[in-house]
Amino acid sequence: MAGVACAVGREAVPPAKRMEYTGSAPMRILFVTKYYPPEEGGIERYGHMLCSDLAARGIDVEVVAASGTARRGYRQEVVDGVKVHRLGCQFSISSAPVTLRLPGLLHEIAKDFDLLHLNSPNPWADILHMAICGDRKTILTYHADIYRPPGSVGGMLLKAYKPLIHRLLNGVAGIIATSPTYIDSSPFLQRQREKARVIPMPVDMAIFADADADAVAHAVARFGTFVLFVGRLVAYKGLPVLIDAVDRVAGIRLVIAGRGPLEGELQRQVAARGLGDRVHFTGKISDEELKNLYHACLCFALPSISRAEAFGIVMAEAMSCGKPVISTDLDTGTTYVNKDGVTGFVVPPHDPEALAAKLQLLLEDGEACRHLGERARQRVAEKFDKPIVVAETLRLYEEVLAGGTGAA
């Protein structure tokens, strides 16, 4: 899957595009996250868009993140105008990176910033923040609940970690929830309703606005009429359900953009069903190729089957290109992004028959498909476009720095 386009060096943000910050409060931000581009993922995209835009406004923002590849060492680099402290990751516990350099770094530099911005869940950084930076003004973006099967090692660790999550949320000055649905459904955010503010994940509509007509036509010629999936090939994405649904609808193909541990298993499922000519795996693609696929597809599908899918930023990207979306009802932000019957359709998880029925409808009713796509683009423009999200985040920063709680 394509990652966020980024470049090393201050000149990656052209001087002509810089917008000076004119607020009265001081603004030095330390943004602490698991990983940062060129590492890929929704949270990585969120961090990159927010931090690079803040830097473009003249705000001093630095990022602390684990390296996705290096096990040792520490380096500083500039990514699209943002100074990044990249720490070697010695090991991971239940997919959470542990960087042994982080305690010393936080103790050394956190005091130099006006505001810390955490991204949770990130257990190692969360615990160190409480131990080292508890007196610093902090806001936190709460991306998702952690779920691990009861009785597993991860489940036992989660049971011990839950009280610390409540303590962390109680201690920060402001909480960003990416959807109202998640506030209602999360056992942790439910206790923080008055402190939590809804600021969704951003989409840079300017990036996706114009696609190369010849490249889009080439994608259509190559794949025909297709439904698009973009993301990591992991269990909670529900791809076997989507493949089953496509098998039930004659005349439609499926393009899967991304890589992951289930790629071989999914390819075997496709071969066993005789769908080799209708299901295409693109592997990792460039940002430009991704944009062309968004514009070339009939619709976008996100068939996720667990609450690990907390928002679904790829849905909003497809919607910004005027495409309807079929997603699943997980009691998370996915139903906030994609409104059933307005911007696409919401179906039950694990239900290939229901998913196939909506694919059939979009295939047969071009007018309905077009209207849903138009409303999808409008919703992104009104709710998720990057300038709107950054402005709301800046407003929260200013309120917290002025002594407020960050409550809406």
Side-chain angles (χ1 to χ4, degrees), residues 113-191:
F113 291 85
D114 303 301
L115 184 68
L116 274 59
H117 187 157
L118 303 183
N119 289 267
S120 189
N122 188 5
W124 178 236
D126 294 345
I127 292 169
L128 291 177
H129 174 271
M130 288 185 284
I132 299 170
C133 310
D135 61 339
R136 307 302 304 171
K137 285 189 175 180
T138 303
I139 70 163
L140 177 149
T141 299
Y142 191 90
H143 291 280
D145 295 332
I146 301 175
Y147 175 78
R148 295 291 184 272
S152 66
V153 173
M156 290 184 284
L157 291 172
L158 177 59
K159 186 175 181 180
Y161 180 54
K162 281 182 177 179
L164 296 178
I165 299 175
H166 289 299
R167 179 183 165 190
L168 176 70
L169 296 179
N170 285 333
V172 299
I175 298 170
I176 295 174
T178 56
S179 72
T181 318
Y182 224 89
I183 296 176
D184 292 338
S185 63
S186 167
F188 301 101
L189 291 184
Q190 286 172 0
R191 297 188 184 184

Side-chain angles (χ1 to χ4, degrees), residues 198-221:
V198 176
I199 305 178
M201 303 277 272
V203 172
D204 192 344
M205 292 190 73
I207 290 177
F208 296 104
D210 298 315
D212 182 273
D214 290 339
V216 172
H218 176 75
V220 173

Side-chain angles (χ1 to χ4, degrees), residues 56-321:
R57 295 168 187 260
I59 294 171
D60 189 354
V61 57
E62 296 184 15
V63 172
V64 174
S67 170
T69 55
R71 289 194 171 275
R72 296 179 179 273
Y74 161 71
R75 69 182 188 275
Q76 296 180 14
E77 59 191 25
V78 177
V79 178
D80 288 347
V82 178
K83 183 178 180 179
V84 180
H85 302 264
R86 196 92 65 175
L87 286 71
C89 178
Q90 280 68 51
F91 57 94
S92 296
I93 300 176
S94 291
S95 303
V98 175
T99 57
L100 299 183
R101 177 74 173 81
L102 183 57
L105 181 66
L106 287 178
H107 187 269
E108 177 185 344
I109 70 172
K111 62 182 182 297
D112 299 327
F113 291 85
D114 303 301
L115 184 68
L116 274 59
H117 187 157
L118 303 183
N119 289 267
S120 189
N122 188 5
W124 178 236
D126 294 345
I127 292 169
L128 291 177
H129 174 271
M130 288 185 284
I132 299 170
C133 310
D135 61 339
R136 307 302 304 171
K137 285 189 175 180
T138 303
I139 70 163
L140 177 149
T141 299
Y142 191 90
H143 291 280
D145 295 332
I146 301 175
Y147 175 78
R148 295 291 184 272
S152 66
V153 173
M156 290 184 284
L157 291 172
L158 177 59
K159 186 175 181 180
Y161 180 54
K162 281 182 177 179
L164 296 178
I165 299 175
H166 289 299
R167 179 183 165 190
L168 176 70
L169 296 179
N170 285 333
V172 299
I175 298 170
I176 295 174
T178 56
S179 72
T181 318
Y182 224 89
I183 296 176
D184 292 338
S185 63
S186 167
F188 301 101
L189 291 184
Q190 286 172 0
R191 297 188 184 184
Q192 304 289 342
R193 288 182 185 276
E194 295 191 1
K195 189 186 290 186
R197 178 174 303 185
V198 176
I199 305 178
M201 303 277 272
V203 172
D204 192 344
M205 292 190 73
I207 290 177
F208 296 104
D210 298 315
D212 182 273
D214 290 339
V216 172
H218 176 75
V220 173
R222 178 184 176 189
F223 298 120
T225 302
F226 67 94
V227 54
L228 176 65
F229 168 88
V230 177
R232 292 196 68 231
L233 311 188
V234 292
Y236 78 83
K237 294 291 185 179
L239 278 164
V241 180
L242 179 57
I243 292 169
D244 189 349
V246 167
D247 191 17
R248 298 165 184 251
V249 182
I252 198 166
R253 297 182 177 185
L254 169 62
V255 174
I256 298 172
R259 291 197 180 279
L262 292 188
E263 186 169 357
E265 180 179 326
L266 294 170
Q267 289 175 336
R268 287 189 291 273
Q269 178 188 1
V270 168
R273 289 175 172 265
L275 297 174
D277 61 338
R278 294 180 56 201
V279 179
H280 306 270
F281 294 83
T282 69
K284 184 177 181 178
I285 59 176
S286 70
D287 294 313
E288 191 65 24
E289 290 172 311
L290 175 61
K291 177 170 67 174
N292 294 333
L293 287 178
Y294 278 142
H295 282 274
C297 69
L298 173 74
C299 63
F300 186 87
L302 190 67
S304 302
I305 56 176
S306 88
R307 283 178 57 81
E309 193 69 77
F311 188 84
I313 196 169
V314 286
M315 291 194 300
E317 290 176 353
M319 290 163 61
S320 76
C321 299

